[in-house]
PDB file of all heavy atoms in Angstrom:
ATOM      1  N   LYS A  55     -32.497  10.809   4.093  1.00 82.00           N
ATOM      2  CA  LYS A  55     -33.486  11.933   4.236  1.00 82.00           C
ATOM      3  C   LYS A  55     -33.505  12.459   5.681  1.00 82.00           C
ATOM      4  O   LYS A  55     -34.533  12.650   6.258  1.00 82.00           O
ATOM      5  CB  LYS A  55     -34.857  11.545   3.785  1.00 82.00           C
ATOM      6  CG  LYS A  55     -34.883  11.187   2.276  1.00 82.00           C
ATOM      7  CD  LYS A  55     -36.301  11.135   1.769  1.00 82.00           C
ATOM      8  CE  LYS A  55     -36.379  10.666   0.361  1.00 82.00           C
ATOM      9  NZ  LYS A  55     -35.809  11.428  -0.668  1.00 82.00           N
ATOM     10  N   VAL A  56     -32.278  12.723   6.156  1.00 80.00           N
ATOM     11  CA  VAL A  56     -32.117  13.356   7.484  1.00 80.00           C
ATOM     12  C   VAL A  56     -32.757  14.750   7.397  1.00 80.00           C
ATOM     13  O   VAL A  56     -32.766  15.388   6.387  1.00 80.00           O
ATOM     14  CB  VAL A  56     -30.648  13.445   7.864  1.00 80.00           C
ATOM     15  CG1 VAL A  56     -30.417  14.186   9.156  1.00 80.00           C
ATOM     16  CG2 VAL A  56     -30.057  12.054   7.965  1.00 80.00           C
ATOM     17  N   GLU A  57     -33.289  15.212   8.548  1.00 83.00           N
ATOM     18  CA  GLU A  57     -33.945  16.511   8.551  1.00 83.00           C
ATOM     19  C   GLU A  57     -33.060  17.593   8.003  1.00 83.00           C
ATOM     20  O   GLU A  57     -31.906  17.706   8.396  1.00 83.00           O
ATOM     21  CB  GLU A  57     -34.337  16.827  10.022  1.00 83.00           C
ATOM     22  CG  GLU A  57     -35.125  18.104  10.120  1.00 83.00           C
ATOM     23  CD  GLU A  57     -35.531  18.430  11.535  1.00 83.00           C
ATOM     24  OE1 GLU A  57     -35.653  17.457  12.319  1.00 83.00           O
ATOM     25  OE2 GLU A  57     -35.710  19.613  11.843  1.00 83.00           O
ATOM     26  N   GLY A  58     -33.549  18.340   7.080  1.00 78.00           N
ATOM     27  CA  GLY A  58     -32.776  19.429   6.436  1.00 78.00           C
ATOM     28  C   GLY A  58     -31.846  18.931   5.291  1.00 78.00           C
ATOM     29  O   GLY A  58     -31.002  19.652   4.862  1.00 78.00           O
ATOM     30  N   TRP A  59     -32.103  17.743   4.795  1.00 74.00           N
ATOM     31  CA  TRP A  59     -31.266  17.168   3.788  1.00 74.00           C
ATOM     32  C   TRP A  59     -31.291  17.958   2.480  1.00 74.00           C
ATOM     33  O   TRP A  59     -30.339  17.929   1.657  1.00 74.00           O
ATOM     34  CB  TRP A  59     -31.601  15.721   3.479  1.00 74.00           C
ATOM     35  CG  TRP A  59     -32.962  15.529   2.792  1.00 74.00           C
ATOM     36  CD1 TRP A  59     -34.139  15.398   3.411  1.00 74.00           C
ATOM     37  CD2 TRP A  59     -33.166  15.432   1.417  1.00 74.00           C
ATOM     38  NE1 TRP A  59     -35.127  15.225   2.471  1.00 74.00           N
ATOM     39  CE2 TRP A  59     -34.576  15.245   1.234  1.00 74.00           C
ATOM     40  CE3 TRP A  59     -32.386  15.478   0.299  1.00 74.00           C
ATOM     41  CZ2 TRP A  59     -35.140  15.165  -0.057  1.00 74.00           C
ATOM     42  CZ3 TRP A  59     -32.946  15.374  -0.955  1.00 74.00           C
ATOM     43  CH2 TRP A  59     -34.322  15.179  -1.097  1.00 74.00           C
ATOM     44  N   GLN A  60     -32.383  18.733   2.213  1.00 78.00           N
ATOM     45  CA  GLN A  60     -32.490  19.548   1.008  1.00 78.00           C
ATOM     46  C   GLN A  60     -31.357  20.591   0.939  1.00 78.00           C
ATOM     47  O   GLN A  60     -30.875  20.932  -0.123  1.00 78.00           O
ATOM     48  CB  GLN A  60     -33.834  20.201   0.862  1.00 78.00           C
ATOM     49  CG  GLN A  60     -34.983  19.244   0.685  1.00 78.00           C
ATOM     50  CD  GLN A  60     -35.584  18.771   1.993  1.00 78.00           C
ATOM     51  OE1 GLN A  60     -35.039  19.017   3.054  1.00 78.00           O
ATOM     52  NE2 GLN A  60     -36.671  18.023   1.895  1.00 78.00           N
ATOM     53  N   GLY A  61     -30.959  21.039   2.107  1.00 76.00           N
ATOM     54  CA  GLY A  61     -29.882  22.048   2.164  1.00 76.00           C
ATOM     55  C   GLY A  61     -28.489  21.446   1.846  1.00 76.00           C
ATOM     56  O   GLY A  61     -27.542  22.249   1.660  1.00 76.00           O
ATOM     57  N   LEU A  62     -28.428  20.133   1.796  1.00 77.00           N
ATOM     58  CA  LEU A  62     -27.136  19.512   1.543  1.00 77.00           C
ATOM     59  C   LEU A  62     -26.829  19.279   0.042  1.00 77.00           C
ATOM     60  O   LEU A  62     -25.737  18.860  -0.347  1.00 77.00           O
ATOM     61  CB  LEU A  62     -27.050  18.168   2.262  1.00 77.00           C
ATOM     62  CG  LEU A  62     -27.083  18.218   3.764  1.00 77.00           C
ATOM     63  CD1 LEU A  62     -27.142  16.775   4.344  1.00 77.00           C
ATOM     64  CD2 LEU A  62     -25.863  18.933   4.289  1.00 77.00           C
ATOM     65  N   ILE A  63     -27.842  19.564  -0.771  1.00 82.00           N
ATOM     66  CA  ILE A  63     -27.669  19.346  -2.222  1.00 82.00           C
ATOM     67  C   ILE A  63     -26.567  20.211  -2.777  1.00 82.00           C
ATOM     68  O   ILE A  63     -25.709  19.741  -3.553  1.00 82.00           O
ATOM     69  CB  ILE A  63     -29.010  19.555  -2.961  1.00 82.00           C
ATOM     70  CG1 ILE A  63     -30.010  18.495  -2.524  1.00 82.00           C
ATOM     71  CG2 ILE A  63     -28.783  19.492  -4.482  1.00 82.00           C
ATOM     72  CD1 ILE A  63     -31.416  18.641  -3.066  1.00 82.00           C
ATOM     73  N   SER A  64     -26.539  21.493  -2.387  1.00 81.00           N
ATOM     74  CA  SER A  64     -25.492  22.354  -2.888  1.00 81.00           C
ATOM     75  C   SER A  64     -24.106  21.924  -2.317  1.00 81.00           C
ATOM     76  O   SER A  64     -23.101  22.045  -3.038  1.00 81.00           O
ATOM     77  CB  SER A  64     -25.778  23.810  -2.528  1.00 81.00           C
ATOM     78  OG  SER A  64     -25.791  24.014  -1.135  1.00 81.00           O
ATOM     79  N   THR A  65     -24.100  21.450  -1.122  1.00 82.00           N
ATOM     80  CA  THR A  65     -22.864  20.964  -0.545  1.00 82.00           C
ATOM     81  C   THR A  65     -22.323  19.761  -1.311  1.00 82.00           C
ATOM     82  O   THR A  65     -21.134  19.611  -1.553  1.00 82.00           O
ATOM     83  CB  THR A  65     -23.025  20.604   0.952  1.00 82.00           C
ATOM     84  OG1 THR A  65     -23.519  21.701   1.637  1.00 82.00           O
ATOM     85  CG2 THR A  65     -21.778  20.117   1.580  1.00 82.00           C
ATOM     86  N   PHE A  66     -23.241  18.874  -1.699  1.00 86.00           N
ATOM     87  CA  PHE A  66     -22.869  17.705  -2.447  1.00 86.00           C
ATOM     88  C   PHE A  66     -22.245  18.092  -3.782  1.00 86.00           C
ATOM     89  O   PHE A  66     -21.184  17.594  -4.190  1.00 86.00           O
ATOM     90  CB  PHE A  66     -24.101  16.792  -2.686  1.00 86.00           C
ATOM     91  CG  PHE A  66     -23.855  15.662  -3.620  1.00 86.00           C
ATOM     92  CD1 PHE A  66     -23.199  14.537  -3.141  1.00 86.00           C
ATOM     93  CD2 PHE A  66     -24.269  15.715  -4.910  1.00 86.00           C
ATOM     94  CE1 PHE A  66     -22.944  13.482  -3.992  1.00 86.00           C
ATOM     95  CE2 PHE A  66     -24.019  14.667  -5.820  1.00 86.00           C
ATOM     96  CZ  PHE A  66     -23.365  13.516  -5.327  1.00 86.00           C
ATOM     97  N   TRP A  67     -22.899  19.010  -4.512  1.00 87.00           N
ATOM     98  CA  TRP A  67     -22.366  19.437  -5.807  1.00 87.00           C
ATOM     99  C   TRP A  67     -21.043  20.190  -5.675  1.00 87.00           C
ATOM    100  O   TRP A  67     -20.178  20.103  -6.529  1.00 87.00           O
ATOM    101  CB  TRP A  67     -23.405  20.242  -6.577  1.00 87.00           C
ATOM    102  CG  TRP A  67     -24.496  19.360  -7.092  1.00 87.00           C
ATOM    103  CD1 TRP A  67     -25.819  19.361  -6.657  1.00 87.00           C
ATOM    104  CD2 TRP A  67     -24.390  18.334  -8.067  1.00 87.00           C
ATOM    105  NE1 TRP A  67     -26.519  18.385  -7.336  1.00 87.00           N
ATOM    106  CE2 TRP A  67     -25.664  17.728  -8.213  1.00 87.00           C
ATOM    107  CE3 TRP A  67     -23.364  17.832  -8.827  1.00 87.00           C
ATOM    108  CZ2 TRP A  67     -25.912  16.703  -9.070  1.00 87.00           C
ATOM    109  CZ3 TRP A  67     -23.627  16.802  -9.709  1.00 87.00           C
ATOM    110  CH2 TRP A  67     -24.885  16.275  -9.852  1.00 87.00           C
ATOM    111  N   SER A  68     -20.903  20.979  -4.622  1.00 86.00           N
ATOM    112  CA  SER A  68     -19.678  21.702  -4.388  1.00 86.00           C
ATOM    113  C   SER A  68     -18.544  20.747  -4.104  1.00 86.00           C
ATOM    114  O   SER A  68     -17.414  20.894  -4.653  1.00 86.00           O
ATOM    115  CB  SER A  68     -19.828  22.636  -3.197  1.00 86.00           C
ATOM    116  OG  SER A  68     -20.763  23.644  -3.471  1.00 86.00           O
ATOM    117  N   ALA A  69     -18.816  19.718  -3.282  1.00 88.00           N
ATOM    118  CA  ALA A  69     -17.756  18.747  -3.006  1.00 88.00           C
ATOM    119  C   ALA A  69     -17.396  17.931  -4.223  1.00 88.00           C
ATOM    120  O   ALA A  69     -16.204  17.633  -4.468  1.00 88.00           O
ATOM    121  CB  ALA A  69     -18.241  17.809  -1.882  1.00 88.00           C
ATOM    122  N   LEU A  70     -18.371  17.576  -5.044  1.00 91.00           N
ATOM    123  CA  LEU A  70     -18.133  16.884  -6.287  1.00 91.00           C
ATOM    124  C   LEU A  70     -17.319  17.700  -7.251  1.00 91.00           C
ATOM    125  O   LEU A  70     -16.361  17.212  -7.873  1.00 91.00           O
ATOM    126  CB  LEU A  70     -19.461  16.424  -6.908  1.00 91.00           C
ATOM    127  CG  LEU A  70     -19.442  15.227  -7.857  1.00 91.00           C
ATOM    128  CD1 LEU A  70     -18.877  14.023  -7.147  1.00 91.00           C
ATOM    129  CD2 LEU A  70     -20.790  14.999  -8.392  1.00 91.00           C
ATOM    130  N   THR A  71     -17.648  18.971  -7.362  1.00 91.00           N
ATOM    131  CA  THR A  71     -16.888  19.908  -8.254  1.00 91.00           C
ATOM    132  C   THR A  71     -15.422  20.028  -7.729  1.00 91.00           C
ATOM    133  O   THR A  71     -14.519  20.026  -8.534  1.00 91.00           O
ATOM    134  CB  THR A  71     -17.549  21.268  -8.302  1.00 91.00           C
ATOM    135  OG1 THR A  71     -18.921  21.130  -8.735  1.00 91.00           O
ATOM    136  CG2 THR A  71     -16.824  22.231  -9.196  1.00 91.00           C
TER     137      THR A  71
END
Side-chain angles (χ1 to χ4, degrees):
K55 296 196 187 294
V56 174
E57 184 178 334
W59 69 272
Q60 294 87 353
L62 296 175
I63 294 173
S64 65
T65 304
F66 173 78
W67 287 111
S68 297
L70 203 58
T71 303

